[in-house]
Amino acid sequence: MRTSLLIVLFTLVNCSPKPQTEVEKWQAQAENVTIIRDDFGVPHIYGKTDADAVFGLLYAQCEDDFNRVEQNYIWATGRLAEVEGEDALYSDLRAQLFMTKEEAIANYEKSPDWLKKLCDAFADGINYYLHTHPEVKPKLLTRFEPWMPMYFSEGSIGGDIERISIAKIKAFYEGGTQVPEMRLIKSGKANEMAEPQGSNGIAISGKLTESGNAMLLINPHTSFYFRGEVHVVSEEGLNAYGAVTWGQFFVYQGFNEKTGWMHTSTYTDVMDEFKEVLLKNDGKLFYAYGDEIRPLDSTKVTLKYKTGDGLQEKTFPMYRTHHGPITHIVDGQWTASAMMWEPVKALEQSYIRTKQNGYDGFRKMMDIRTNSSNNTVYADAGGNIAYFHGNFIPKRDTIFDYTNPVDGSNAKTDWQGLHTVDENILVLNPENGWLQNCNSTPYTSALENSPKRGDYPKYMSRDQENFRGVHAIELLRDRNGYTLDSLIVLAHDPYLPAFKALIPGLIAAYDENPISKLKEPIEILRNWDFRTSKESVAMTLAHYYGTECYRQANRPDGLYAMQLVNYWGDESPDSEKLALFQETVYRLKQDFGTWKMPWGEVNRYQRLNGDIRQAFDDTKPSIPIGFASGRWGALAAYGARYNNGTKKIYGTRGNSFVAAVEFGDKVKAKTILAGGQSGNPDSPHFEDQIQMYADIQWKDAAFYKEDVLKRAVRTYKPGE
């Protein structure tokens, strides 16, 4: 009997499954995933569970552009200096000031189980890609960890943390001083000269469409190639299509069968600065808060940076009050920066958003209130359209001016919780049948049905219009019968309202003070209809003249961009207008040998390699683009933030991923990418969409499985 029992026990021990190795675990999960690449290389990822779908999504992203996936996490986790050198140290310090690695791990550990599974799948999908692609040599990150998404919890380009000035952090740490005022002015002007950041969102009610179905224009303006196009599906209710920021596991701008969401950067005041009153006692630092004296939290962080001799290290102290980390000095006082920093909740909201089936669920998701850097334009299959202006908005005592740093020692300046979504600016199903936001004031979002300024505290929205907003309103007013194709045409309308404001004043100045050598270019502008095209010489003259105004014209204090253009077109001295136009003509002659340059000969698209910062070369192939800068009111924005010393203008940002979506019994969509899906120059999908992009010929999105299979070019599992 005893012998028989031993045999049974021996058999059970030897028959029990061996623990899976990490690679075996990856391989097993890969069996639950199918990736179908369509004729444009868009990955359609199908997984049994949400975690399986995320595993496949990250694997597919790495196939398309591992360089950008890795770069986003090198930046987000605060390790940029290890790749780029000492100049990036303060970018890394900024990341650490808001969350250390240990804090990121703690946030992961306290996440709900379902979110931890997604974070695990995120890391496993990337690591399996690296395991199966030994030829890929990461710059730094040879292994990804499930806590890393805590640093990159929403898909905005930069997000809130980018608003924290690295120059101010550096000035504080290197000299205990403020950044000189003149340097701030120059920095601000340089940013103003660059192509504007921002996006357009437009929602159309079914009462204005030919089909009777609601429509949504998803039109982010980002740096090109910042997001890829994906379709991710699970048997747990996930079925999202749209743009994913490289390295993230949720569709950031997109749609499912029932709902669609578009984010525009918000200029709601969601971040504040608190000047702290410091005290020292027995060598320790404290800060005053009301009647209390509180200890100043102090830790150290050691950062690595690349040199010619390998990696070096530098240790920084980090200080924090209950308001946030000390980031700079204002008026001689250490100043803390406060912003939304709840990465677990932010990741939850970003993912839950993609699985909503109607307005009620979407509205409930917004109650999480961590989407701090964005507005949201929404439409659904139930016929609803909505606009949410901001989401995370702290309550404040309105006797204080939070547009400037406030006294952190006064307890009354503290945030007093968050406004509810119902207290925030919200537009639902306006009577006019449409709504829009182009990073402009919410008080014109739905014409006469817009929210009223007096109903909200001033800090809830900056009340500034821009030329894209003006343009959108004029296009949407008194129009109906929309189809997907006509919505796409509207989104590319070539009229540029900024030049209607700017150019007539120049012509009037010339008429008062004729200059013979300007007669011909002035006559071209006089006969122009303010519409951009590849063939237009007037567009070239206007763009270069407008740019010279931004560069050199007098700027009265207190005017924002649209007001400045109106001032330069109307009130600025005639002598200044004519001098700047003479400079414009001279510069064109210097650069191109003639001022008679069609816009398409100047404004170009070129992609020579997969680098994150593109190289440009006037001697190498490029194609003409007829679109214009969003600064001039172009909805289909196309512009440059750098030029690498070329004479021609090569686009670097603007329309990137764009979609037009129609909801009904079945969802329909058309999309386009600047360039293509892949960052690999050897891929057929490196720039296979750019001519369609330039010609406004968008592709149909394959959403339903039967349509995906009809267009399938390759079907495989991760690792195959």
Side-chain angles (χ1 to χ4, degrees):
M1 182 71 178
R2 184 180 176 188
T3 302
S4 298
L5 183 60
L6 288 171
I7 291 171
V8 170
L9 290 171
F10 180 80
T11 303
L12 288 171
V13 169
N14 281 276
C15 290
S16 61
K18 294 179 181 178
Q20 278 186 318
T21 66
E22 187 174 54
V23 172
E24 288 171 339
K25 175 176 172 287
W26 296 339
Q27 291 170 334
Q29 189 158 25
E31 287 300 310
N32 295 331
V33 179
T34 298
I35 301 173
I36 303 175
R37 295 278 181 173
D38 68 21
D39 44 342
F40 287 95
V42 175
H44 303 259
I45 301 108
Y46 296 86
K48 287 186 178 297
T49 66
D50 282 8
D52 295 333
V54 165
F55 179 95
L57 172 62
L58 270 297
Y59 184 94
Q61 286 185 53
C62 291
E63 289 183 301
D64 288 333
D65 208 329
F66 175 76
N67 183 30
R68 281 180 165 76
V69 172
E70 183 189 21
Q71 181 69 17
N72 280 343
Y73 282 94
I74 291 172
W75 167 79
T77 59
R79 298 185 64 185
L80 196 60
E82 294 177 53
V83 176
E84 297 187 0
E86 192 172 6
D87 286 347
L89 267 177
Y90 290 100
S91 173
D92 293 349
L93 179 59
R94 179 177 63 183
Q96 297 298 314
L97 284 167
F98 284 93
M99 187 165 65
T100 64
K101 175 181 174 180
E102 292 72 27
E103 290 168 330
I105 293 171
N107 275 306
Y108 163 75
E109 293 293 348
K110 75 176 185 182
S111 298
D113 287 344
W114 69 266
L115 183 59
K116 289 172 75 172
K117 288 178 182 178
L118 300 187
C119 292
D120 292 343
F122 149 86
D124 289 345
I126 301 176
N127 290 330
Y128 189 47
Y129 169 81
L130 291 173
H131 172 74
T132 55
H133 293 77
E135 74 281 4
V136 174
K137 305 299 181 187
K139 295 190 290 281
L140 180 66
L141 302 178
T142 57
R143 182 179 178 83
F144 284 71
E145 302 292 346
W147 47 263
M148 288 180 174
M150 298 296 153
Y151 279 100
F152 202 28
S153 58
E154 56 103 339
S156 291
I157 184 164
D160 291 337
I161 198 169
E162 284 276 76
R163 301 192 205 181
I164 304 294
S165 167
I166 292 173
K168 291 181 180 180
I169 294 174
K170 183 176 181 180
F172 171 68
Y173 275 91
E174 291 194 350
T177 61
Q178 293 180 234
V179 176
E181 185 69 22
M182 187 53 66
R183 184 175 165 192
L184 290 175
I185 292 171
K186 287 182 179 179
S187 175
K189 189 172 180 180
N191 288 334
E192 195 175 55
M193 289 298 300
E195 175 63 17
Q197 296 183 179
S199 305
N200 309 320
I202 295 174
I204 309 290
S205 163
K207 69 182 184 180
L208 299 181
T209 66
E210 191 175 273
S211 65
N213 299 322
M215 293 183 181
L216 180 65
L217 176 69
I218 299 171
N219 188 189
H221 296 159
T222 68
S223 52
F224 294 160
Y225 331 122
F226 183 70
R227 300 188 182 111
E229 183 173 345
V230 301
H231 181 203
V232 57
V233 185
S234 81
E235 295 175 14
E236 296 181 334
L238 177 67
N239 191 0
Y241 193 112
V244 64
T245 306
W246 296 110
Q248 294 191 315
F249 58 74
F250 52 86
V251 172
Y252 179 66
Q253 316 260 30
F255 59 94
N256 57 37
E257 188 174 30
K258 300 297 184 183
T259 66
W261 55 97
M262 165 62 206
H263 300 308
T264 62
S265 297
T266 188
Y267 296 110
T268 295
D269 184 4
V270 298
M271 299 169 64
D272 287 316
E273 297 177 352
F274 295 85
K275 296 190 291 184
E276 308 291 9
V277 176
L278 298 183
L279 305 162
K280 199 168 189 178
N281 187 25
D282 291 335
K284 296 181 180 179
L285 287 172
F286 298 82
Y287 69 100
Y289 177 67
D291 296 331
E292 303 174 48
I293 301 297
R294 295 184 174 186
L296 184 70
D297 183 50
S298 177
T299 58
K300 291 184 178 180
V301 64
T302 298
L303 301 176
K304 297 178 180 179
Y305 61 96
K306 181 181 177 181
T307 71
D309 299 321
L311 291 177
Q312 300 291 327
E313 292 183 347
K314 191 169 184 177
T315 299
F316 296 89
M318 298 194 297
Y319 305 101
R320 180 186 293 270
T321 73
H322 73 285
H323 295 121
I326 302 295
T327 55
H328 61 294
I329 283 181
V330 176
D331 300 329
Q333 290 179 258
W334 287 18
T335 300
S337 293
M339 69 181 191
M340 191 288 295
W341 197 267
E342 295 191 70
V344 176
K345 288 175 64 177
L347 276 175
E348 289 184 63
Q349 183 168 3
S350 292
Y351 192 79
I352 290 170
R353 180 188 302 120
T354 67
K355 297 183 72 173
Q356 299 311 304
N357 291 319
Y359 180 78
D360 289 345
F362 198 90
R363 169 63 186 77
K364 183 178 179 182
M365 171 276 301
M366 293 294 283
D367 283 334
I368 299 173
R369 292 179 295 172
T370 55
N371 189 11
S372 56
S373 64
N374 295 303
N375 310 311
T376 303
V377 180
Y378 169 89
D380 67 29
N384 297 296
I385 62 173
Y387 173 64
F388 301 85
H389 190 77
N391 184 234
F392 169 94
I393 305 179
K395 289 184 179 180
R396 305 160 172 101
D397 190 327
T398 56
I399 68 171
F400 300 104
D401 178 9
Y402 288 89
T403 62
N404 294 307
V406 294
D407 179 6
S409 69
N410 185 341
K412 292 182 179 179
T413 63
D414 261 12
W415 290 351
Q416 300 159 16
L418 298 178
H419 284 282
T420 66
V421 175
D422 289 334
E423 291 171 341
N424 293 347
I425 298 172
L426 168 61
V427 185
L428 176 63
N429 296 326
E431 184 62 31
N432 57 299
W434 57 261
L435 49 81
Q436 61 80 32
N437 183 259
C438 302
N439 312 112
S440 45
T441 172
Y443 304 123
T444 58
S445 56
L447 216 58
E448 67 274 7
N449 300 290
S450 303
K452 303 298 182 274
R453 292 173 178 83
D455 293 343
Y456 302 94
K458 286 185 178 180
Y459 61 71
M460 198 164 273
S461 179
R462 187 176 71 183
D463 186 15
Q464 292 183 9
E465 192 57 272
N466 63 44
F467 284 112
R468 282 183 292 117
V470 169
H471 192 184
I473 290 166
E474 288 307 308
L475 289 171
L476 292 162
R477 191 193 303 267
D478 300 325
R479 183 180 295 211
N480 56 32
Y482 287 97
T483 64
L484 277 185
D485 288 336
S486 69
L487 182 57
I488 291 168
V489 170
L490 178 146
H492 290 84
D493 185 81
Y495 181 71
L496 301 175
F499 291 131
K500 176 65 181 299
L502 185 66
I503 297 303
L506 169 64
I507 294 170
Y510 171 84
D511 289 343
E512 287 293 320
N513 305 278
I515 301 173
S516 59
K517 62 184 178 181
L518 297 181
K519 181 179 179 180
E520 190 176 359
I522 285 289
E523 290 307 311
I524 287 175
L525 288 175
R526 193 191 302 275
N527 294 315
W528 187 39
D529 59 2
F530 310 116
R531 295 177 181 273
T532 183
S533 71
K534 288 180 281 191
E535 299 75 26
S536 176
V537 172
M539 176 64 218
T540 306
L541 288 166
H543 174 85
Y544 276 79
Y545 173 66
T547 302
E548 284 302 319
C549 288
Y550 268 97
R551 184 179 289 121
Q552 297 189 57
N554 179 54
R555 294 161 173 256
D557 292 339
L559 300 185
Y560 59 83
M562 184 170 151
Q563 292 173 329
L564 278 174
V565 172
N566 286 325
Y567 169 80
W568 293 328
D570 185 25
E571 299 178 51
S572 67
D574 287 356
S575 57
E576 181 180 76
K577 293 182 179 77
L578 294 171
L580 291 175
F581 191 60
Q582 288 186 81
E583 179 66 25
T584 297
V585 173
Y586 174 78
R587 181 182 170 191
L588 286 168
K589 286 181 178 179
Q590 287 290 107
D591 286 352
F592 304 110
T594 176
W595 57 263
K596 295 181 183 179
M597 291 294 292
W599 180 233
E601 292 300 308
V602 175
N603 197 47
R604 312 288 290 183
Y605 172 90
Q606 185 180 76
R607 193 180 190 190
L608 300 176
N609 55 45
D611 290 352
I612 291 171
R613 184 181 175 96
Q614 288 287 293
F616 299 117
D617 189 331
D618 285 336
T619 67
K620 294 184 177 178
S622 61
I623 72 165
I625 300 292
F627 311 150
S629 168
R631 173 181 290 114
W632 314 130
L635 298 182
Y638 187 90
R641 284 206 147 224
Y642 55 88
N643 60 23
N644 292 336
T646 58
K647 302 295 186 185
K648 296 178 181 178
I649 300 168
Y650 296 95
T652 65
R653 69 173 300 118
N655 275 23
S656 45
F657 165 84
V658 197
V661 189
E662 179 181 339
F663 297 96
D665 293 335
K666 298 185 78 172
V667 67
K668 297 190 297 184
K670 292 190 174 188
T671 68
I672 199 69
L673 275 175
Q677 178 69 19
S678 176
N680 180 359
D682 296 328
S683 167
H685 305 299
F686 181 64
E687 51 183 7
D688 58 335
Q689 296 183 53
I690 190 55
Q691 195 60 57
M692 297 165 62
Y693 173 99
D695 295 340
I696 318 176
Q697 298 294 321
W698 292 14
K699 63 188 187 293
D700 292 321
F703 184 83
Y704 294 98
K705 189 71 171 281
E706 59 266 28
D707 297 320
V708 174
L709 292 174
K710 287 176 185 176
R711 290 171 53 183
V713 173
R714 183 182 173 216
T715 302
Y716 61 101
K717 293 183 176 297
E720 291 181 353

